[in-house]
Amino acid sequence: MYVMTIDQRGSSADVDRVPGLLAELAGLSTAGRFERSVGDEVQGVVERPDEVVEIALHALRSGRWYVGIGVGAVDLPLPASPREGSGPAFVAARVAVEKAKSGAAHVPLAVVSGGLRRGEAAPSPAGSAGARACANAEAVLRLIGRLVQDRTTAQWKVVDVLRSVQHGHSGTHGTQKIAAQELGITEQSVSRALLRSGWQEEWAARPAAEMLLALAHGVIAGNDDARGLPADRAPDAGGPQAPDNRPRDSTEGDR
């Protein structure tokens, strides 16, 4: 399991943004449910690594949240409210969000192992297999998060429209043209915005982040495999597979 603890940055000088975030998160996870845990903080349990990546990057986008991800066992059965949950992954998520608040972290995200055995209530010690696996996932997520954080408002406008177009478009060609028409700009402008936004790089790297989270979960659970990774994303002999909704348009524009 993956426990996510997300805390608002600068909450003492800002409005309460938790209700808005909870409404957004409701549409990003098929099974995970998030609730306010304490103050300006939300917490939830997520089963799928691809949804962990989606939620983490969504939270990083605004620059208003610290993101902590705990990987490991949770006490079952899960209670109706995440606030009542317990287990190593919950402890790890608390450690992770505090680590994300470190001034040295330009991208406020951390991934912490919840222990190699179900009986362990503390995070895995530094240098352990679980800690190393989570550090690898954290490194890739921070790299992608940097791309997400550094996008301009204009670039996000293009990215958001293109994502909505691709979601409802049956083909893989012509989506940049449709996005350009919706935005009232040229295809070349769409291509330039996507190139500068790191859009292609983000979606090329997302499967790697998902795979590393799944592998970390497998190591911590005692299975050195991709446990928890959806079947259509599990790595094979040829390497990790890209998600179905990964952009395929060239940044040079549609032809």
Side-chain angles (χ1 to χ4, degrees):
M1 291 286 189
Y2 307 91
V3 177
M4 302 187 70
T5 299
I6 305 174
D7 195 12
Q8 186 174 340
R9 302 175 70 178
S11 58
S12 60
D14 198 1
V15 299
D16 183 5
R17 298 187 182 275
V18 168
L21 179 64
L22 289 174
E24 295 163 4
L25 295 182
L28 297 181
S29 178
T30 57
R33 186 161 65 91
F34 284 79
E35 291 183 355
R36 185 192 296 268
S37 52
V38 60
D40 297 311
E41 178 184 278
V42 302
Q43 188 172 64
V45 180
V46 182
E47 297 181 1
R48 294 170 53 114
D50 57 314
E51 292 183 352
V52 173
V53 172
E54 179 68 30
I55 291 168
L57 295 180
H58 180 82
L60 290 175
R61 169 177 174 169
S62 67
R64 297 189 177 108
W65 303 96
Y66 298 104
V67 180
I69 304 170
V71 185
V74 298
D75 294 337
L76 299 175
L78 284 172
S81 170
R83 294 193 301 269
E84 300 173 359
S86 61
F90 281 92
V91 177
R94 169 57 51 198
V95 174
V97 78
E98 294 303 322
K99 179 182 175 184
K101 295 177 183 179
S102 167
H106 178 78
V107 179
L109 174 147
V111 183
V112 172
S113 168
L116 292 173
R117 296 186 300 273
R118 287 185 175 273
E120 291 180 345
S124 301
S128 67
R132 292 196 304 270
C134 286
N136 290 336
E138 177 184 288
V140 174
L141 280 170
R142 283 187 173 183
L143 285 173
I144 305 172
R146 182 68 178 265
L147 292 174
V148 169
Q149 283 189 162
D150 290 351
R151 280 187 192 135
T152 66
T153 301
Q155 289 168 354
W156 269 116
K157 188 174 181 180
V158 173
V159 167
D160 286 339
V161 170
L162 187 64
R163 287 193 71 175
S164 67
V165 168
Q166 288 182 327
H167 182 71
H169 192 64
S170 58
T172 59
H173 299 290
T175 52
Q176 287 191 25
K177 181 176 181 179
I178 298 172
Q181 291 173 342
E182 290 196 13
L183 291 166
I185 60 178
T186 65
E187 293 179 55
Q188 290 75 15
S189 295
V190 170
S191 291
R192 284 195 297 270
L194 294 178
L195 181 63
R196 293 169 182 169
S197 72
W199 163 252
Q200 296 283 350
E201 291 80 1
E202 175 195 338
W203 282 88
R206 277 188 179 225
E210 296 164 15
M211 183 181 69
L212 288 170
L213 283 172
L215 289 173
H217 186 280
V219 169
I220 295 164
N223 301 308
D224 193 10
D225 57 16
R227 178 178 177 179
L229 193 65
D232 60 344
R233 311 221 176 177
D236 57 18
Q241 297 178 352
D244 292 341
N245 60 346
R246 179 178 171 181
R248 296 179 175 82
D249 284 279
S250 168
T251 55
E252 296 302 319
D254 296 318
R255 294 180 174 85

